[in-house]
Amino acid sequence: TNPNDFKVWDFGYGVAGAEKLEGPYKFHPHRITSEGLQLEDVSAFTMEGRVYLLSRDIRGSLGSRGGGLLWKSKSGLRFDSKDTVRAFEDLAAYLGRQKLAAAKVYRGDKDGHLERPQLLFTGDGRIYMYVATGINTSPGHGSATHEFRVRMTGNGRTE
């Protein structure tokens, strides 16, 4: 196995914590995400006493490579694969392949994988997800950002 081959890497996350923002930081001794579910571009948030990670599903562990995962934990120090669900799909799932047929691809593919998910929680309870993609339907522009309204269901899934 070639260690420089991106396709064989096992992508996971660890964590470090500190009493103050300035540190000093201490690394948690173990990986916090399950092996086997490949992720990148993680953002973290808390809701209703739980810690969540929102990530890109880099290898299509629970669907296509173009979407993402929602990880759930009680402690924030262990995110088990059994508590992880599909959170979002690629751009084609929302806009349709026909709308993307003439789009310019700057990176990725015509289905428009979504990456770097970030959430905005508003004061009135609405949640918006912002994601980047390497495909753009507007001529003369590079990569694009898309905004989606998110609804969390009772079981921790997103709509």
Side-chain angles (χ1 to χ4, degrees):
T1 306
N2 178 356
N4 296 320
D5 183 1
F6 170 80
K7 293 178 181 146
V8 300
W9 293 2
D10 182 24
F11 290 87
Y13 272 73
V15 68
E19 295 294 321
K20 308 183 290 187
L21 184 61
E22 298 82 14
Y25 284 83
K26 182 178 179 183
F27 286 98
H28 180 65
H30 305 286
R31 175 184 175 142
I32 64 170
T33 55
S34 293
E35 292 186 31
L37 293 182
Q38 305 299 307
L39 71 154
E40 73 169 354
D41 297 342
V42 170
S43 62
F45 63 96
T46 60
M47 180 185 291
E48 299 175 356
R50 302 244 182 209
V51 180
Y52 292 88
L53 300 178
L54 187 60
S55 73
R56 178 169 171 229
D57 187 359
I58 191 169
R59 295 244 177 81
S61 302
L62 294 179
S64 76
R65 292 180 50 241
L69 305 173
L70 181 66
W71 304 69
K72 181 171 65 172
S73 172
K74 290 180 182 176
S75 69
L77 296 177
R78 182 70 187 144
F79 293 84
D80 198 300
S81 60
K82 70 177 179 47
D83 297 320
T84 303
V85 296
R86 191 74 176 169
F88 58 91
E89 300 303 330
D90 57 27
L91 192 58
Y94 304 104
L95 298 182
R97 284 193 169 82
Q98 184 175 354
K99 177 144 176 113
L100 297 178
K104 177 140 180 156
V105 178
Y106 293 91
R107 66 180 190 289
D109 58 33
K110 279 285 190 186
D111 289 337
H113 72 252
L114 299 177
E115 54 189 33
R116 299 180 187 99
Q118 299 290 318
L119 296 180
L120 171 67
F121 294 84
T122 66
D124 61 5
R126 291 178 293 165
I127 306 170
Y128 295 93
M129 179 177 72
Y130 293 84
V131 287
T133 186
I135 189 170
N136 200 319
T137 57
S138 300
H141 298 282
S143 299
T145 300
H146 299 274
E147 173 189 326
F148 295 91
R149 172 91 184 267
V150 175
R151 290 179 183 84
M152 296 289 283
T153 62
N155 61 4
R157 291 185 180 264
T158 57
E159 292 181 340

